[in-house]
Every structure is written in structure tokens, then in C-alpha cells.
Amino acid sequence: MIHYKKSLIRFLLLIVMFFTFIQLVEATVTNFTVYGGEEVTKSLNLAIDDHVLIRFTIVGQSDHTLYFFMTYPNGTVWDFGKTGDAYYSFVCNLEGEYVLHFSNVGSSEDKLVTLDYEVEHYIFGMPQMFFLTIIIVLVCIAAVAAFVLMGKQH
């Protein structure tokens, strides 16, 4: 009975470690309205080597476009112009806050924006999910090896 309790405790400890270390991918889908004559901003805090994918679609009553631009942490502005939908992916080379600007200043019509973005973190040049999977497998192999070695009678 004690053997099963120790195995259960080890298993629960492994599960807790698994959920503690996992922060795999940050993905968000959101809808918001940009009212006529206003601008809405969304911020993303990113680290170096993060892989980012941004997609959005604009829906209005007659015009399905907004002025969209993105501000990098160093102040650089990436201007997409007036667009109705976009698909943009990039790898971060600067750590900090990236700001997405959705501007409806030149219109009196309200626009609905559907924003979908994914941020995948990388460690040592490999996806964080893969890296943590390798760590978990190595810990499990070490635990099995220790269990086998402790169970041998000399």
C-alpha cells in the first residue's frame, strides 16, 4: 500500500510540474467595435524570438476598411494603410510592447473588428512546447531509472 502511495505522490508531483512549466502558445480571438472618428489600440508584450501571427477582418455597413498600423517598441511604425483584412506574421527581434492601432478617424460609420492573434514562444531556437516536452521526457526517464535502480536488491 505504501508503494502505491509513493507512486501516486510522484505522479501528482509530475502533473503539477507539467502545468507549472507550460505556457505554450498565447492565442486570442476578440471582437470589438471601432466607433466613427475614434481609434482603438491593442498591446502585445513580446519577447525576442517570439513567433507572432496576426489576422483581422473589418466589417462595416457600407465600407469594410480601417486604417491599420503597428508600433514597435523602438518607435518604428509599420503602416498597412487602409485595409479590410490582414494576415501578418513576424518573428520578434525586439523585446517589449507592440501596439496595434485600428483607426476609424476619417469615417462616421462604426466598424466591427475580429482580431485573431497567436504568439508562440521559442527557447534555444525551438518551440517552447517541444522544448518542455523534451524536459518532461528526460525527467520521466530519470524517474524510471531511479525507480528501477532503487528496486534492485544487492
Side-chain angles (χ1 to χ4, degrees), residues 11-41:
F11 177 73
L12 291 175
L13 182 61
L14 185 64
I15 295 295
V16 169
M17 284 177 35
F18 177 76
F19 284 112
T20 302
F21 291 120
I22 297 296
Q23 180 189 0
L24 303 177
V25 175
E26 177 186 340
T28 301
V29 177
T30 184
N31 294 317
F32 55 92
T33 302
V34 181
Y35 297 103
E38 294 184 6
E39 179 179 304
V40 174
T41 60

PDB file of all heavy atoms in Angstrom, residues 11-41:
ATOM      1  N   PHE A  11       3.351  10.788  -9.238  1.00  0.00           N
ATOM      2  CA  PHE A  11       2.534  11.115 -10.394  1.00  0.00           C
ATOM      3  C   PHE A  11       1.905  12.497 -10.243  1.00  0.00           C
ATOM      4  O   PHE A  11       1.921  13.305 -11.173  1.00  0.00           O
ATOM      5  CB  PHE A  11       1.455  10.051 -10.598  1.00  0.00           C
ATOM      6  CG  PHE A  11       0.522  10.362 -11.727  1.00  0.00           C
ATOM      7  CD1 PHE A  11       0.945  10.234 -13.044  1.00  0.00           C
ATOM      8  CD2 PHE A  11      -0.776  10.786 -11.479  1.00  0.00           C
ATOM      9  CE1 PHE A  11       0.094  10.528 -14.094  1.00  0.00           C
ATOM     10  CE2 PHE A  11      -1.636  11.078 -12.519  1.00  0.00           C
ATOM     11  CZ  PHE A  11      -1.200  10.949 -13.832  1.00  0.00           C
ATOM     12  N   LEU A  12       1.341  12.772  -9.066  1.00  0.00           N
ATOM     13  CA  LEU A  12       0.737  14.086  -8.835  1.00  0.00           C
ATOM     14  C   LEU A  12       1.779  15.201  -8.893  1.00  0.00           C
ATOM     15  O   LEU A  12       1.507  16.278  -9.423  1.00  0.00           O
ATOM     16  CB  LEU A  12       0.006  14.096  -7.492  1.00  0.00           C
ATOM     17  CG  LEU A  12      -1.262  13.240  -7.422  1.00  0.00           C
ATOM     18  CD1 LEU A  12      -1.828  13.242  -6.012  1.00  0.00           C
ATOM     19  CD2 LEU A  12      -2.291  13.721  -8.421  1.00  0.00           C
ATOM     20  N   LEU A  13       2.974  14.937  -8.373  1.00  0.00           N
ATOM     21  CA  LEU A  13       4.056  15.919  -8.448  1.00  0.00           C
ATOM     22  C   LEU A  13       4.434  16.187  -9.905  1.00  0.00           C
ATOM     23  O   LEU A  13       4.649  17.334 -10.295  1.00  0.00           O
ATOM     24  CB  LEU A  13       5.270  15.435  -7.658  1.00  0.00           C
ATOM     25  CG  LEU A  13       6.465  16.384  -7.606  1.00  0.00           C
ATOM     26  CD1 LEU A  13       6.080  17.691  -6.933  1.00  0.00           C
ATOM     27  CD2 LEU A  13       7.619  15.737  -6.870  1.00  0.00           C
ATOM     28  N   LEU A  14       4.472  15.155 -10.719  1.00  0.00           N
ATOM     29  CA  LEU A  14       4.786  15.307 -12.135  1.00  0.00           C
ATOM     30  C   LEU A  14       3.708  16.123 -12.843  1.00  0.00           C
ATOM     31  O   LEU A  14       4.021  17.002 -13.654  1.00  0.00           O
ATOM     32  CB  LEU A  14       4.932  13.930 -12.791  1.00  0.00           C
ATOM     33  CG  LEU A  14       5.368  13.926 -14.241  1.00  0.00           C
ATOM     34  CD1 LEU A  14       6.764  14.503 -14.375  1.00  0.00           C
ATOM     35  CD2 LEU A  14       5.317  12.515 -14.782  1.00  0.00           C
ATOM     36  N   ILE A  15       2.458  15.878 -12.532  1.00  0.00           N
ATOM     37  CA  ILE A  15       1.354  16.640 -13.132  1.00  0.00           C
ATOM     38  C   ILE A  15       1.438  18.108 -12.725  1.00  0.00           C
ATOM     39  O   ILE A  15       1.270  19.007 -13.558  1.00  0.00           O
ATOM     40  CB  ILE A  15      -0.014  16.049 -12.728  1.00  0.00           C
ATOM     41  CG1 ILE A  15      -0.180  14.655 -13.302  1.00  0.00           C
ATOM     42  CG2 ILE A  15      -1.158  16.949 -13.147  1.00  0.00           C
ATOM     43  CD1 ILE A  15      -0.225  14.613 -14.813  1.00  0.00           C
ATOM     44  N   VAL A  16       1.710  18.392 -11.470  1.00  0.00           N
ATOM     45  CA  VAL A  16       1.846  19.769 -11.001  1.00  0.00           C
ATOM     46  C   VAL A  16       3.010  20.465 -11.713  1.00  0.00           C
ATOM     47  O   VAL A  16       2.888  21.614 -12.147  1.00  0.00           O
ATOM     48  CB  VAL A  16       2.019  19.814  -9.466  1.00  0.00           C
ATOM     49  CG1 VAL A  16       2.437  21.191  -8.996  1.00  0.00           C
ATOM     50  CG2 VAL A  16       0.731  19.388  -8.782  1.00  0.00           C
ATOM     51  N   MET A  17       4.146  19.762 -11.858  1.00  0.00           N
ATOM     52  CA  MET A  17       5.282  20.340 -12.575  1.00  0.00           C
ATOM     53  C   MET A  17       4.914  20.627 -14.024  1.00  0.00           C
ATOM     54  O   MET A  17       5.291  21.667 -14.572  1.00  0.00           O
ATOM     55  CB  MET A  17       6.486  19.391 -12.525  1.00  0.00           C
ATOM     56  CG  MET A  17       7.204  19.368 -11.210  1.00  0.00           C
ATOM     57  SD  MET A  17       8.563  18.178 -11.119  1.00  0.00           S
ATOM     58  CE  MET A  17       9.262  18.171 -12.724  1.00  0.00           C
ATOM     59  N   PHE A  18       4.190  19.721 -14.646  1.00  0.00           N
ATOM     60  CA  PHE A  18       3.783  19.888 -16.032  1.00  0.00           C
ATOM     61  C   PHE A  18       2.967  21.170 -16.205  1.00  0.00           C
ATOM     62  O   PHE A  18       3.232  21.980 -17.080  1.00  0.00           O
ATOM     63  CB  PHE A  18       2.981  18.662 -16.486  1.00  0.00           C
ATOM     64  CG  PHE A  18       2.463  18.760 -17.878  1.00  0.00           C
ATOM     65  CD1 PHE A  18       3.317  18.586 -18.954  1.00  0.00           C
ATOM     66  CD2 PHE A  18       1.116  19.016 -18.119  1.00  0.00           C
ATOM     67  CE1 PHE A  18       2.835  18.672 -20.246  1.00  0.00           C
ATOM     68  CE2 PHE A  18       0.642  19.097 -19.402  1.00  0.00           C
ATOM     69  CZ  PHE A  18       1.503  18.924 -20.472  1.00  0.00           C
ATOM     70  N   PHE A  19       1.954  21.377 -15.365  1.00  0.00           N
ATOM     71  CA  PHE A  19       1.108  22.544 -15.500  1.00  0.00           C
ATOM     72  C   PHE A  19       1.797  23.821 -15.025  1.00  0.00           C
ATOM     73  O   PHE A  19       1.415  24.910 -15.417  1.00  0.00           O
ATOM     74  CB  PHE A  19      -0.213  22.344 -14.757  1.00  0.00           C
ATOM     75  CG  PHE A  19      -1.151  21.434 -15.493  1.00  0.00           C
ATOM     76  CD1 PHE A  19      -1.449  20.191 -14.978  1.00  0.00           C
ATOM     77  CD2 PHE A  19      -1.692  21.799 -16.699  1.00  0.00           C
ATOM     78  CE1 PHE A  19      -2.302  19.337 -15.652  1.00  0.00           C
ATOM     79  CE2 PHE A  19      -2.541  20.958 -17.392  1.00  0.00           C
ATOM     80  CZ  PHE A  19      -2.852  19.719 -16.858  1.00  0.00           C
ATOM     81  N   THR A  20       2.815  23.707 -14.196  1.00  0.00           N
ATOM     82  CA  THR A  20       3.554  24.879 -13.750  1.00  0.00           C
ATOM     83  C   THR A  20       4.433  25.432 -14.855  1.00  0.00           C
ATOM     84  O   THR A  20       4.529  26.646 -15.039  1.00  0.00           O
ATOM     85  CB  THR A  20       4.426  24.521 -12.532  1.00  0.00           C
ATOM     86  OG1 THR A  20       3.591  24.022 -11.493  1.00  0.00           O
ATOM     87  CG2 THR A  20       5.185  25.725 -12.041  1.00  0.00           C
ATOM     88  N   PHE A  21       5.064  24.562 -15.614  1.00  0.00           N
ATOM     89  CA  PHE A  21       6.018  24.998 -16.623  1.00  0.00           C
ATOM     90  C   PHE A  21       5.397  25.299 -17.982  1.00  0.00           C
ATOM     91  O   PHE A  21       6.053  25.855 -18.844  1.00  0.00           O
ATOM     92  CB  PHE A  21       7.109  23.948 -16.808  1.00  0.00           C
ATOM     93  CG  PHE A  21       8.023  23.833 -15.626  1.00  0.00           C
ATOM     94  CD1 PHE A  21       8.146  22.641 -14.951  1.00  0.00           C
ATOM     95  CD2 PHE A  21       8.742  24.921 -15.191  1.00  0.00           C
ATOM     96  CE1 PHE A  21       8.980  22.526 -13.858  1.00  0.00           C
ATOM     97  CE2 PHE A  21       9.572  24.817 -14.094  1.00  0.00           C
ATOM     98  CZ  PHE A  21       9.697  23.620 -13.427  1.00  0.00           C
ATOM     99  N   ILE A  22       4.167  24.948 -18.181  1.00  0.00           N
ATOM    100  CA  ILE A  22       3.568  25.095 -19.502  1.00  0.00           C
ATOM    101  C   ILE A  22       2.986  26.499 -19.666  1.00  0.00           C
ATOM    102  O   ILE A  22       2.148  26.937 -18.911  1.00  0.00           O
ATOM    103  CB  ILE A  22       2.460  24.047 -19.728  1.00  0.00           C
ATOM    104  CG1 ILE A  22       3.043  22.667 -19.700  1.00  0.00           C
ATOM    105  CG2 ILE A  22       1.730  24.297 -21.029  1.00  0.00           C
ATOM    106  CD1 ILE A  22       4.032  22.376 -20.791  1.00  0.00           C
ATOM    107  N   GLN A  23       3.469  27.178 -20.665  1.00  0.00           N
ATOM    108  CA  GLN A  23       2.893  28.413 -21.186  1.00  0.00           C
ATOM    109  C   GLN A  23       3.171  28.349 -22.679  1.00  0.00           C
ATOM    110  O   GLN A  23       4.051  29.007 -23.202  1.00  0.00           O
ATOM    111  CB  GLN A  23       3.526  29.646 -20.569  1.00  0.00           C
ATOM    112  CG  GLN A  23       2.940  30.926 -21.101  1.00  0.00           C
ATOM    113  CD  GLN A  23       3.711  32.136 -20.645  1.00  0.00           C
ATOM    114  OE1 GLN A  23       4.695  32.049 -19.935  1.00  0.00           O
ATOM    115  NE2 GLN A  23       3.285  33.283 -21.079  1.00  0.00           N
ATOM    116  N   LEU A  24       2.438  27.520 -23.356  1.00  0.00           N
ATOM    117  CA  LEU A  24       2.798  27.115 -24.703  1.00  0.00           C
ATOM    118  C   LEU A  24       2.575  28.218 -25.724  1.00  0.00           C
ATOM    119  O   LEU A  24       3.495  28.740 -26.306  1.00  0.00           O
ATOM    120  CB  LEU A  24       1.995  25.872 -25.089  1.00  0.00           C
ATOM    121  CG  LEU A  24       2.153  24.692 -24.157  1.00  0.00           C
ATOM    122  CD1 LEU A  24       1.262  23.561 -24.586  1.00  0.00           C
ATOM    123  CD2 LEU A  24       3.590  24.246 -24.141  1.00  0.00           C
ATOM    124  N   VAL A  25       1.357  28.510 -25.970  1.00  0.00           N
ATOM    125  CA  VAL A  25       1.022  29.460 -27.009  1.00  0.00           C
ATOM    126  C   VAL A  25      -0.049  30.382 -26.456  1.00  0.00           C
ATOM    127  O   VAL A  25      -0.993  29.947 -25.823  1.00  0.00           O
ATOM    128  CB  VAL A  25       0.489  28.735 -28.260  1.00  0.00           C
ATOM    129  CG1 VAL A  25       0.023  29.723 -29.297  1.00  0.00           C
ATOM    130  CG2 VAL A  25       1.542  27.812 -28.829  1.00  0.00           C
ATOM    131  N   GLU A  26       0.130  31.640 -26.707  1.00  0.00           N
ATOM    132  CA  GLU A  26      -0.887  32.604 -26.328  1.00  0.00           C
ATOM    133  C   GLU A  26      -1.687  32.904 -27.584  1.00  0.00           C
ATOM    134  O   GLU A  26      -1.157  33.402 -28.567  1.00  0.00           O
ATOM    135  CB  GLU A  26      -0.232  33.875 -25.803  1.00  0.00           C
ATOM    136  CG  GLU A  26      -1.189  34.962 -25.443  1.00  0.00           C
ATOM    137  CD  GLU A  26      -0.474  36.237 -25.059  1.00  0.00           C
ATOM    138  OE1 GLU A  26       0.705  36.193 -24.724  1.00  0.00           O
ATOM    139  OE2 GLU A  26      -1.125  37.285 -25.122  1.00  0.00           O
ATOM    140  N   ALA A  27      -2.948  32.542 -27.570  1.00  0.00           N
ATOM    141  CA  ALA A  27      -3.805  32.790 -28.716  1.00  0.00           C
ATOM    142  C   ALA A  27      -5.070  33.485 -28.235  1.00  0.00           C
ATOM    143  O   ALA A  27      -5.632  33.120 -27.210  1.00  0.00           O
ATOM    144  CB  ALA A  27      -4.154  31.495 -29.418  1.00  0.00           C
ATOM    145  N   THR A  28      -5.477  34.483 -28.982  1.00  0.00           N
ATOM    146  CA  THR A  28      -6.638  35.251 -28.587  1.00  0.00           C
ATOM    147  C   THR A  28      -7.473  35.571 -29.817  1.00  0.00           C
ATOM    148  O   THR A  28      -6.934  35.941 -30.854  1.00  0.00           O
ATOM    149  CB  THR A  28      -6.229  36.570 -27.914  1.00  0.00           C
ATOM    150  OG1 THR A  28      -5.431  36.277 -26.773  1.00  0.00           O
ATOM    151  CG2 THR A  28      -7.420  37.377 -27.493  1.00  0.00           C
ATOM    152  N   VAL A  29      -8.765  35.405 -29.681  1.00  0.00           N
ATOM    153  CA  VAL A  29      -9.713  35.863 -30.687  1.00  0.00           C
ATOM    154  C   VAL A  29     -10.646  36.822 -29.974  1.00  0.00           C
ATOM    155  O   VAL A  29     -11.227  36.482 -28.942  1.00  0.00           O
ATOM    156  CB  VAL A  29     -10.510  34.699 -31.301  1.00  0.00           C
ATOM    157  CG1 VAL A  29     -11.545  35.229 -32.282  1.00  0.00           C
ATOM    158  CG2 VAL A  29      -9.580  33.720 -31.975  1.00  0.00           C
ATOM    159  N   THR A  30     -10.772  38.013 -30.508  1.00  0.00           N
ATOM    160  CA  THR A  30     -11.612  39.009 -29.869  1.00  0.00           C
ATOM    161  C   THR A  30     -12.342  39.836 -30.918  1.00  0.00           C
ATOM    162  O   THR A  30     -11.846  40.013 -32.034  1.00  0.00           O
ATOM    163  CB  THR A  30     -10.781  39.919 -28.935  1.00  0.00           C
ATOM    164  OG1 THR A  30     -11.647  40.818 -28.262  1.00  0.00           O
ATOM    165  CG2 THR A  30      -9.746  40.707 -29.697  1.00  0.00           C
ATOM    166  N   ASN A  31     -13.501  40.313 -30.552  1.00  0.00           N
ATOM    167  CA  ASN A  31     -14.282  41.225 -31.390  1.00  0.00           C
ATOM    168  C   ASN A  31     -14.429  42.532 -30.640  1.00  0.00           C
ATOM    169  O   ASN A  31     -14.663  42.536 -29.427  1.00  0.00           O
ATOM    170  CB  ASN A  31     -15.682  40.661 -31.673  1.00  0.00           C
ATOM    171  CG  ASN A  31     -15.638  39.415 -32.517  1.00  0.00           C
ATOM    172  OD1 ASN A  31     -14.892  39.343 -33.472  1.00  0.00           O
ATOM    173  ND2 ASN A  31     -16.434  38.432 -32.151  1.00  0.00           N
ATOM    174  N   PHE A  32     -14.301  43.624 -31.339  1.00  0.00           N
ATOM    175  CA  PHE A  32     -14.519  44.928 -30.728  1.00  0.00           C
ATOM    176  C   PHE A  32     -14.987  45.895 -31.805  1.00  0.00           C
ATOM    177  O   PHE A  32     -14.793  45.662 -32.999  1.00  0.00           O
ATOM    178  CB  PHE A  32     -13.263  45.451 -30.008  1.00  0.00           C
ATOM    179  CG  PHE A  32     -12.039  45.522 -30.872  1.00  0.00           C
ATOM    180  CD1 PHE A  32     -11.725  46.679 -31.569  1.00  0.00           C
ATOM    181  CD2 PHE A  32     -11.189  44.432 -30.974  1.00  0.00           C
ATOM    182  CE1 PHE A  32     -10.598  46.736 -32.364  1.00  0.00           C
ATOM    183  CE2 PHE A  32     -10.057  44.490 -31.758  1.00  0.00           C
ATOM    184  CZ  PHE A  32      -9.753  45.642 -32.461  1.00  0.00           C
ATOM    185  N   THR A  33     -15.600  46.964 -31.371  1.00  0.00           N
ATOM    186  CA  THR A  33     -16.122  47.979 -32.288  1.00  0.00           C
ATOM    187  C   THR A  33     -15.235  49.200 -32.247  1.00  0.00           C
ATOM    188  O   THR A  33     -14.865  49.674 -31.171  1.00  0.00           O
ATOM    189  CB  THR A  33     -17.563  48.364 -31.902  1.00  0.00           C
ATOM    190  OG1 THR A  33     -18.373  47.184 -31.930  1.00  0.00           O
ATOM    191  CG2 THR A  33     -18.132  49.390 -32.855  1.00  0.00           C
ATOM    192  N   VAL A  34     -14.897  49.702 -33.419  1.00  0.00           N
ATOM    193  CA  VAL A  34     -14.178  50.971 -33.540  1.00  0.00           C
ATOM    194  C   VAL A  34     -15.214  51.980 -34.028  1.00  0.00           C
ATOM    195  O   VAL A  34     -15.672  51.914 -35.169  1.00  0.00           O
ATOM    196  CB  VAL A  34     -12.992  50.877 -34.526  1.00  0.00           C
ATOM    197  CG1 VAL A  34     -12.261  52.200 -34.590  1.00  0.00           C
ATOM    198  CG2 VAL A  34     -12.052  49.749 -34.142  1.00  0.00           C
ATOM    199  N   TYR A  35     -15.582  52.875 -33.138  1.00  0.00           N
ATOM    200  CA  TYR A  35     -16.624  53.850 -33.457  1.00  0.00           C
ATOM    201  C   TYR A  35     -16.090  54.904 -34.413  1.00  0.00           C
ATOM    202  O   TYR A  35     -14.885  55.164 -34.474  1.00  0.00           O
ATOM    203  CB  TYR A  35     -17.151  54.500 -32.168  1.00  0.00           C
ATOM    204  CG  TYR A  35     -17.816  53.490 -31.264  1.00  0.00           C
ATOM    205  CD1 TYR A  35     -17.163  52.998 -30.143  1.00  0.00           C
ATOM    206  CD2 TYR A  35     -19.085  53.017 -31.566  1.00  0.00           C
ATOM    207  CE1 TYR A  35     -17.771  52.056 -29.321  1.00  0.00           C
ATOM    208  CE2 TYR A  35     -19.699  52.072 -30.750  1.00  0.00           C
ATOM    209  CZ  TYR A  35     -19.034  51.602 -29.638  1.00  0.00           C
ATOM    210  OH  TYR A  35     -19.634  50.655 -28.844  1.00  0.00           O
ATOM    211  N   GLY A  36     -16.995  55.497 -35.158  1.00  0.00           N
ATOM    212  CA  GLY A  36     -16.628  56.529 -36.124  1.00  0.00           C
ATOM    213  C   GLY A  36     -15.876  57.667 -35.454  1.00  0.00           C
ATOM    214  O   GLY A  36     -16.286  58.173 -34.414  1.00  0.00           O
ATOM    215  N   GLY A  37     -14.737  58.063 -36.035  1.00  0.00           N
ATOM    216  CA  GLY A  37     -13.938  59.154 -35.502  1.00  0.00           C
ATOM    217  C   GLY A  37     -13.023  58.760 -34.357  1.00  0.00           C
ATOM    218  O   GLY A  37     -12.403  59.620 -33.736  1.00  0.00           O
ATOM    219  N   GLU A  38     -12.908  57.475 -34.057  1.00  0.00           N
ATOM    220  CA  GLU A  38     -12.081  57.032 -32.927  1.00  0.00           C
ATOM    221  C   GLU A  38     -10.999  56.049 -33.369  1.00  0.00           C
ATOM    222  O   GLU A  38     -10.995  55.567 -34.499  1.00  0.00           O
ATOM    223  CB  GLU A  38     -12.950  56.372 -31.853  1.00  0.00           C
ATOM    224  CG  GLU A  38     -13.909  57.322 -31.176  1.00  0.00           C
ATOM    225  CD  GLU A  38     -14.676  56.664 -30.047  1.00  0.00           C
ATOM    226  OE1 GLU A  38     -14.379  55.499 -29.707  1.00  0.00           O
ATOM    227  OE2 GLU A  38     -15.568  57.321 -29.502  1.00  0.00           O
ATOM    228  N   GLU A  39     -10.091  55.769 -32.436  1.00  0.00           N
ATOM    229  CA  GLU A  39      -9.024  54.797 -32.664  1.00  0.00           C
ATOM    230  C   GLU A  39      -8.970  53.848 -31.473  1.00  0.00           C
ATOM    231  O   GLU A  39      -9.106  54.272 -30.324  1.00  0.00           O
ATOM    232  CB  GLU A  39      -7.681  55.516 -32.803  1.00  0.00           C
ATOM    233  CG  GLU A  39      -6.505  54.591 -33.020  1.00  0.00           C
ATOM    234  CD  GLU A  39      -5.192  55.335 -33.180  1.00  0.00           C
ATOM    235  OE1 GLU A  39      -5.100  56.193 -34.062  1.00  0.00           O
ATOM    236  OE2 GLU A  39      -4.268  55.031 -32.408  1.00  0.00           O
ATOM    237  N   VAL A  40      -8.774  52.564 -31.752  1.00  0.00           N
ATOM    238  CA  VAL A  40      -8.646  51.544 -30.706  1.00  0.00           C
ATOM    239  C   VAL A  40      -7.263  50.927 -30.830  1.00  0.00           C
ATOM    240  O   VAL A  40      -6.800  50.643 -31.932  1.00  0.00           O
ATOM    241  CB  VAL A  40      -9.738  50.456 -30.851  1.00  0.00           C
ATOM    242  CG1 VAL A  40      -9.517  49.327 -29.871  1.00  0.00           C
ATOM    243  CG2 VAL A  40     -11.117  51.060 -30.666  1.00  0.00           C
ATOM    244  N   THR A  41      -6.610  50.736 -29.676  1.00  0.00           N
ATOM    245  CA  THR A  41      -5.292  50.104 -29.674  1.00  0.00           C
ATOM    246  C   THR A  41      -5.332  48.818 -28.862  1.00  0.00           C
ATOM    247  O   THR A  41      -6.064  48.712 -27.882  1.00  0.00           O
ATOM    248  CB  THR A  41      -4.216  51.037 -29.080  1.00  0.00           C
ATOM    249  OG1 THR A  41      -4.565  51.352 -27.737  1.00  0.00           O
ATOM    250  CG2 THR A  41      -4.075  52.309 -29.891  1.00  0.00           C
TER     251      THR A  41
END
